[in-house]
Amino acid sequence: MDAPSNQPGIVGGLNATRRKQTGIFGRRALAGVAVVSVLLGAGVVYSNRPVEVEALMPERDVPVRVFGLGTVEARVMSKVGFEAGAALVELHADHGDHVRKGQVLARLSLGEQEAKTAKARAALQIAEVNIERAEANLEKARAILAQRQVANRRRQELAGRSVVSEQSAEESARDEAVAKADVTVTESEVASSRAQLADARAQVQFEETLLGHRTLTAPYDAIVIERHKELGTVVKAGDPIFTLIANDSYWGLAYVDEARAGFIAEGQRVQARLRSRPQDVFTGKVARIGLESDRSTEERRVFIRGDNPPARVFLGEQVEFLITAATLAEALLIPEAAVHGYNGHEGTVWTVEDGRLNRRLVRFRHRTEDSRLEIVGGVPEHARVVMRVAPGLQVGRMARFSEGKRP
């Protein structure tokens, strides 16, 4: 009967314990809320503090250079050969030789063509003799005609006085007509002989020309780049025997991205580095710009004439070219990485206006070799452009310029 009398005391103790624990938890919750509130407030203050940025500063005398990769080429290069076919019997030049204009480089066998030329010359001599004989016959015929004309006139006068018979007068007239016909025939023979003489002379010229085609000469002062045939080879007309390049005709061929080639013009200065001599810088000028771009690589061909090429140049060697397309007297240049939405002529940049950040759509023109863009419009007069994008940039946030970068 004692146990039931203790039940209310146990229940009361449990309730007191629970109230105590509830109070502790409440105080801890309030403390946590306070800490979170403090942290949030600190975050808001921290995120709204003035952010440090670098201001873009104007630069002077900035060269705008365009990169192009290309090769060494020759402006005048020829693969020379014979206009006739025969066995190659003489070679007078080889790889690396310097030859002069008109110098004999090679010859083909001459026997057959020399015989044809001799035959044509003999035919020319015969034609010359024939025309001499025809001209002599013409002179004789004219003399006979003159004699017959005189005789006919006398006979006709005598016949008019009845001194000679009419038959004799008729015979005299007939003789004069025959003499005239002989003159006409002889004149035609002379004309024919002259035509034959002209034909014989043309045939001699033709055969001598073919004979000359058996000798290969240098078309200009040149360097022999390659010899393609050897002695004894039977070549066909047009087969290349030598590859020649004209002296001092070296130039560079640069391939430039079309997106960068718009401001390139003839006469602009160029720096070049040969792959075999990277420590040396060679200079030159843009000599020609190709009128047709490569449709697959979308590159433009630019030809460069050198001012100080090396003493020995190798065709096809790779070269790096830097073409100075413009020099900016004063420019505001921003790294392309700091531009959002760049489309080739426009993009968005961060600016500082009245101490706060803003975004502006600006226009660009030139692009430097280190990927900086020239700003030419869209920035208000009182604004300054932010050089680099950093975390925490927000429109309207206060900003200050880092030390050493104040506009």
Side-chain angles (χ1 to χ4, degrees), residues 8-28:
I10 296 173
V11 173
L14 290 174
N15 290 334
T17 303
R18 287 172 181 165
R19 286 194 298 270
K20 183 177 181 181
Q21 290 177 345
T22 302
I24 293 173
F25 291 151
R27 288 193 297 272
R28 289 180 179 176

Side-chain angles (χ1 to χ4, degrees), residues 149-280:
Q149 286 175 338
V150 172
N152 184 38
R153 284 195 299 271
R154 292 178 60 189
R155 291 276 179 102
Q156 297 302 325
E157 290 176 1
L158 292 174
R161 297 197 300 268
S162 301
V163 175
V164 296
S165 64
E166 291 182 2
Q167 181 179 0
S168 177
E170 291 175 357
E171 291 177 353
S172 179
R174 184 179 64 248
D175 291 342
E176 181 182 352
V178 171
K180 286 182 179 179
D182 288 342
V183 169
T184 301
V185 171
T186 308
E187 287 177 345
S188 65
E189 289 177 352
V190 170
S192 176
S193 297
R194 286 175 178 170
Q196 291 175 356
L197 178 62
D199 179 71
R201 285 173 177 168
Q203 189 64 32
V204 169
Q205 184 179 4
F206 175 73
E207 298 297 345
E208 287 179 343
T209 299
L210 293 182
L211 183 63
H213 290 170
R214 304 283 177 115
T215 300
L216 181 63
T217 59
Y220 44 76
D221 295 346
I223 302 172
V224 179
I225 297 299
E226 187 175 358
R227 190 175 79 187
H228 302 279
K229 303 294 182 181
E230 299 299 331
L231 288 175
T233 305
V234 177
V235 300
K236 301 188 294 295
D239 283 352
I241 308 299
F242 298 98
T243 297
L244 308 177
I245 62 171
N247 290 340
D248 302 323
S249 70
Y250 294 110
W251 64 0
L253 170 57
Y255 293 90
V256 180
D257 187 351
E258 288 177 336
R260 304 295 313 282
F263 292 96
I264 297 177
E266 289 83 354
Q268 291 174 344
R269 300 298 304 173
V270 181
Q271 291 183 350
R273 291 183 185 272
L274 296 171
R275 189 172 187 182
S276 62
R277 300 177 61 175
Q279 71 281 3
D280 298 324

Side-chain angles (χ1 to χ4, degrees), residues 19 23 54 57 67 71 90 98 110 133-134 139 143 155 157 163 169 192 226 249 257 310-311 342 349 384 395:
R19 286 194 298 270
E54 295 184 34
M57 302 295 291
F67 176 80
T71 54
E90 293 182 28
H98 290 257
L110 304 177
R133 182 171 56 194
E139 185 177 352
R155 291 276 179 102
E157 290 176 1
V163 175
S192 176
E226 187 175 358
S249 70
D257 187 351
Y342 176 59
V349 300
R384 295 293 181 267
V395 175

Side-chain angles (χ1 to χ4, degrees), residues 339 345-349 351 360-364 375 377-379 385:
V339 179
H345 66 281
E346 287 183 333
T348 304
V349 300
T351 61
R360 290 282 183 177
L361 181 67
V362 298
R363 299 188 305 277
F364 304 105
I375 299 175
V379 180
V385 179

Side-chain angles (χ1 to χ4, degrees), residues 22 28 33 50 52 54 80 85 104 128 187 242-243 261 268 293 296 300 342 357 377 393:
T22 302
R28 289 180 179 176
V33 171
E52 279 197 355
E54 295 184 34
V80 296
V104 175
E128 290 173 345
E187 287 177 345
F242 298 98
T243 297
Q268 291 174 344
S293 297
S296 58
R300 190 167 296 172
Y342 176 59
L357 291 171
L393 299 186

Side-chain angles (χ1 to χ4, degrees), residues 330-372:
E330 183 174 351
L332 203 59
L333 299 171
I334 184 170
E336 188 174 342
V339 179
H340 178 72
Y342 176 59
N343 61 6
H345 66 281
E346 287 183 333
T348 304
V349 300
W350 285 99
T351 61
V352 177
E353 303 174 21
D354 297 327
R356 294 187 179 275
L357 291 171
N358 196 9
R359 302 192 73 177
R360 290 282 183 177
L361 181 67
V362 298
R363 299 188 305 277
F364 304 105
R365 182 170 53 187
H366 289 290
R367 182 177 183 271
T368 65
E369 60 187 300
D370 56 354
S371 299
R372 292 188 298 162

